[in-house]
Structures are given as C-alpha cells and as structure tokens.
Amino acid sequence: MFKKIKILVLALVLLTLHQSNTPVKNTASDSPNIILIFMDDMGYGDLSSYGALDINTPNIDRLASEGIRFTNFLSAQAVCSASRAAILTGCYSNRIGITGALFPASPIGLNKEETTIAELLKQKNYATGIFGKWHLGDAPEFLPLNHGFDEYLGIPYSNDMWPVNYDGAPALAGTNKHRFPPLPLIRNHAPIDTISTLEDQAMLTSKFTDEAISFIRRNKKKPFFAYIPHPMPHVPINASAAFRGKSKQGLYGDMIQEIDYNVGKIMEVLKKEGLENNTMIIFTSDNGPWLNFGNHAGNTGGLREGKGSSFEGGQRVPCIIRWKGKIPGGLVANQLASTIDILPTIAKLTGTALPNKKIDGIDLGEILKGNMQLSPRKNFLYYYRKNALEAVRRDNWKLVFEHPSRSYLNQAPGVDGFPGAAPENIMMAEALYDLRRDPGEQYDVKSYFPEIVKELKALAEEARADLGDDLQKIEGANKRLAGKVK
C-alpha cells in the first residue's frame, strides 16, 4: 500500500512540474479568444493572397491558408466612422445615426444604448481591449471604456486629422489642416502623448501591436477580445526604418509589409502561449483605397472606384478568418458577406445573446464550418453620405440608382502623400450589373433583365420604409439616434 501511495505522489509531482512548463491554454470551446484586426483604407488587391503585385504578405497569407478567405466581403459603408460603427454593432451605420467621418470635437458619437462586440462578450466575462483608431466620438462619454472595453491605447480619430501638412511640415495658418488640434495618443480616458510628426506616425503600427501582445499575455488564462484597428494605410502613411525600402512598391508597400510582420508577431505569441487553437483571428478593412493619393494609396484589384463610393472598389475588402482546429484550412468563400455579420457570428459561436435592438448582420457560422453551398446573406444595401440608398444587391445582381458620387475616373492622382482631385458630385446613372461576369461594373444590363430590376426595386422599397433614403426624401421608420455630447 505504501509503495502505491509513493508512486501516486511521484506521479502528481511530475504532472505538476510538466504543467508548470506548459503554456496555459484556454480550452473552453464556447469561449474562444477573438482578435479582430481592422485595417484603414486597405484595398481589395493589397495582399499577395488577393493578387497584390510586388508586395509580400506571407503572414497574412498564412492566415488565409490556415483558415478561410472571403472574396465577396463588403464593408457596411466606404468611410471611416460609419464602417467602424457597423462592424462593432452589427448594424448598418445609418440605422444607428453614425454617418461619414466624425471630426475632432464632434457633437455626436456612438450611442451608449447600442451594444458593441465588447459589451456582448462581457456576458461571458471576456477581457476586452482596443489598440488603434477609435473614431466613434472623441468626447469622454464616447470613448471605448464606455462601450465595453477594459483598456484602450490609441488615437480618437483618423491620423490625418492633425495640424500637419502633407509633406510633414506644420500646417500654415489659414490652411485646412491648421484647423485641427494636435493628434493625441490616449490611454484609457486621457491623452498621454501627441502624434506630431511623420516619424511618430511610423511607430504606430508596432506600438499598437506591442500593446495588443501585452494584453494577450496578461489575459491568457481567460477569454479575451482584442480589437486592433490600425490607423494605416490611411494617409499619412509611413513605415519604421527597418522596413523602408524593403518592397518594390515604395513606401506604401513597405508599410503594408510592416503590417504583415506585426500580424506575424501576434500569430507567434499565440503559438508560444498555447492559445493558437482557441483563438479566432479576423482580418479585414474598413473600406477600399483612397485612390486620389496615388502611390500612397492601395489597390482595388480592378474593382470600380474606391473609398467614398458605393461601387465595389469602395466597399469590397479583404477578409480572412482563421481558427485552427475549428475552421477548415485553405477555404475560399465566394458567398456574399459583410462586416455587419461579424457580431452575430461571434454571438452564435460564443453562446451570447444578441442585442435587444434590431441589428442587420447575419450569422456566418455555416460558412466557417466549411459549407460552401450555403449563402446565409442574400441581400445587401449600399448606403452612403448621410442616408442615401445608392444601390441594392441580391446575390450577384446589383442595381445602382441614379445618385451623385465621388469619382476618381479620369482624374490625375496625387503623389508622395499629396492628394489629386476626387470630385464629389459626379452623377451616376441607374444601371444593373451582373457582378459574377462584370465585377468592374462596366456593363449595364438592365434592359436584358427587367424582372431582376423589378425584384431589386422592391427590395429597395423595403429598405426605404425601414431605414429611409435621402435620395427619395424618405425618412424611414426604424432609425435610431447617435449619442449626443452632454
């Protein structure tokens, strides 16, 4: 008997020693860690896995090879604040009163009555952190810690909202840039530093990545949600010294490759900490590229127009989701999907309750399981400006309504950080596009398919009754108000 007890004690000691040297694993299958990396103005064609030329993104490409790559994934709107409100709440941003890009000292922000992904995950006691650009209101009551996040390091709005000229020199009095206050770096509730130079901008990618890594390590024993909305490739762009001159696409390529390197750092930390198989990584962008910035802008992959437009170049973005051991590797999803689908998908896989208020997202869980025959999302509404319904889509059919639009066509782009022209009120004619055959939206086929036009116009009427339409001067019954500064 004594010998058996001695053997048992020895076994327990050995087990304890083994566990002390083994990375801690969060193994609860219904509480996966979630990392959401949200780029700013990254185009559909900016990653080598999406056809980028002379830009190498091996780490992000590995996410795609080990997970699922979406080819028909749409941002909710082609502009900063609206797209961020949408991904965090699962709503078309015009439903919740956030449109356009909010400026410093904005009188509005994300309403406290809306539920963010961070607040949703608090049902399961997730640790929540944001590291990067917020842009949903810079007044104290709108900052991230009032929307479900435990910690925050970042900038409150876009990195070009600062009193610095396009060449990096201080903005002169009387110029557009001079009206902006200094760009603050905020920790939790208060500024701790100022982003004053292009060299300061160059350090943002690594700074926010390192902070996210610290958060991951500090919370590895419990489920966590790390939201990493990088300020770039929104202009002004820059890369740290170690990455300059490393790509064949100039500073823009250097900066994208630095982002890829930092994504790789996160992947490596997950592996070392034993968290790789219980962490879902989502990588996507807020909208397409700001094309009038020329060689400091991204690539639409041949899609029409770019940021600030409801054509595909403005709203179709890369999206890659990896969850090793749960999502089959190497999948390509051609089904229609959107950033507004992220929240309900996370809710379903974590077993958390959806918000009480109406949302617009759809659970993509069946696609993540590898069901390439199922298309959960059938329709999509292309809203822009304050509340203009510029197009509607059903499957691969897209009906564009007559509307004034930003257009980059036939405009000479800028160079080396300076913008070219991008007229805002070019009239676009009503047209029907078959995106399966014509993703560049070049050939109007409405005269061939009147029954499709009729179906899509009926879908538009439903949308107008629900959300309104400034183009038709319809208010809509189910819009909610943004938060207002007290």
Side-chain angles (χ1 to χ4, degrees), residues 404-419:
S405 175
R406 177 184 298 178
S407 180
Y408 304 96
L409 298 180
N410 303 314
Q411 305 294 331
V415 66
D416 294 343
F418 287 83

Side-chain angles (χ1 to χ4, degrees), residues 446-461:
K446 66 176 182 293
S447 62
Y448 297 105
F449 301 99
E451 71 284 2
I452 300 296
V453 173
K454 183 178 179 180
E455 289 177 14
L456 290 175
K457 286 188 173 181
L459 173 61
E461 288 305 311

Side-chain angles (χ1 to χ4, degrees), residues 399 430-433 443-450 453:
L399 180 64
E430 182 177 285
L432 177 69
Y433 298 109
Y443 306 102
D444 176 18
V445 294
K446 66 176 182 293
S447 62
Y448 297 105
F449 301 99
V453 173

Side-chain angles (χ1 to χ4, degrees), residues 255-267:
M255 176 267 305
I256 294 293
Q257 291 186 178
E258 181 168 15
I259 287 168
D260 179 77
Y261 171 80
N262 280 274
V263 171
K265 284 172 60 176
I266 292 172
M267 295 165 67

Side-chain angles (χ1 to χ4, degrees), residues 425-446:
N425 290 298
I426 303 298
M427 287 303 298
M428 300 297 171
E430 182 177 285
L432 177 69
Y433 298 109
D434 177 1
L435 296 179
R436 185 188 68 82
R437 298 182 62 251
D438 178 25
E441 296 170 284
Q442 298 297 313
Y443 306 102
D444 176 18
V445 294
K446 66 176 182 293

Side-chain angles (χ1 to χ4, degrees), residues 210-482:
D210 290 345
E211 192 73 16
I213 287 172
S214 171
F215 170 81
I216 289 167
R217 284 178 166 149
R218 285 184 280 111
N219 292 284
K220 63 185 179 182
K221 294 184 180 180
K222 63 183 296 187
F224 59 78
F225 170 51
Y227 175 43
I228 311 171
H230 283 296
M232 295 181 200
H234 191 294
V235 293
I237 62 169
N238 207 354
S240 61
F243 290 88
R244 290 177 200 153
K246 298 300 184 182
S247 82
K248 295 181 181 179
Q249 286 292 334
L251 185 61
Y252 190 88
D254 299 343
M255 176 267 305
I256 294 293
Q257 291 186 178
E258 181 168 15
I259 287 168
D260 179 77
Y261 171 80
N262 280 274
V263 171
K265 284 172 60 176
I266 292 172
M267 295 165 67
E268 186 62 25
V269 166
L270 293 176
K271 185 175 182 179
K272 287 182 177 179
E273 298 293 349
L275 300 169
E276 196 175 40
N277 290 340
N278 197 45
T279 301
M280 183 169 73
I281 301 177
I282 305 167
F283 182 97
T284 188
S285 179
D286 68 341
N287 47 247
W290 207 350
L291 292 175
N292 56 312
F293 279 89
N295 64 338
H296 280 203
N299 176 3
T300 67
L303 301 172
R304 181 173 172 177
E305 300 288 3
K307 174 180 177 174
S309 163
S310 56
F311 288 102
E312 293 297 291
Q315 290 189 237
R316 195 183 301 194
V317 292
C319 180
I320 296 167
I321 303 179
R322 186 194 79 169
W323 184 5
K324 294 191 75 172
K326 297 291 184 180
I327 296 175
L331 294 180
V332 176
N334 298 319
Q335 296 100 313
L336 181 61
S338 171
T339 52
I340 57 177
D341 300 329
I342 297 296
L343 181 144
T345 302
I346 289 174
K348 184 63 179 291
L349 70 88
T350 58
T352 48
L354 288 171
N356 292 325
K357 296 178 181 293
K358 181 178 180 178
I359 68 168
D360 300 292
I362 295 170
D363 172 34
L364 302 176
E366 286 301 314
I367 297 178
L368 299 187
K369 292 176 184 177
N371 188 342
M372 296 296 108
Q373 306 306 313
L374 189 68
S375 297
R377 173 168 291 285
K378 297 294 185 183
N379 305 322
F380 187 81
L381 309 176
Y382 294 79
Y383 274 93
Y384 192 59
R385 303 203 173 186
K386 185 177 181 181
N387 196 38
L389 183 62
E390 295 184 351
V392 294
R393 181 169 170 182
R394 175 165 291 163
D395 298 322
N396 289 318
W397 292 105
K398 181 176 179 181
L399 180 64
V400 175
F401 299 108
E402 184 180 65
H403 68 279
S405 175
R406 177 184 298 178
S407 180
Y408 304 96
L409 298 180
N410 303 314
Q411 305 294 331
V415 66
D416 294 343
F418 287 83
E424 291 287 342
N425 290 298
I426 303 298
M427 287 303 298
M428 300 297 171
E430 182 177 285
L432 177 69
Y433 298 109
D434 177 1
L435 296 179
R436 185 188 68 82
R437 298 182 62 251
D438 178 25
E441 296 170 284
Q442 298 297 313
Y443 306 102
D444 176 18
V445 294
K446 66 176 182 293
S447 62
Y448 297 105
F449 301 99
E451 71 284 2
I452 300 296
V453 173
K454 183 178 179 180
E455 289 177 14
L456 290 175
K457 286 188 173 181
L459 173 61
E461 288 305 311
E462 293 176 12
R464 290 171 181 133
D466 181 23
L467 291 171
D469 180 8
D470 289 349
L471 295 173
Q472 301 294 329
K473 297 182 172 55
I474 298 172
E475 184 62 27
N478 298 305
K479 292 187 300 180
R480 306 195 287 267
L481 296 175

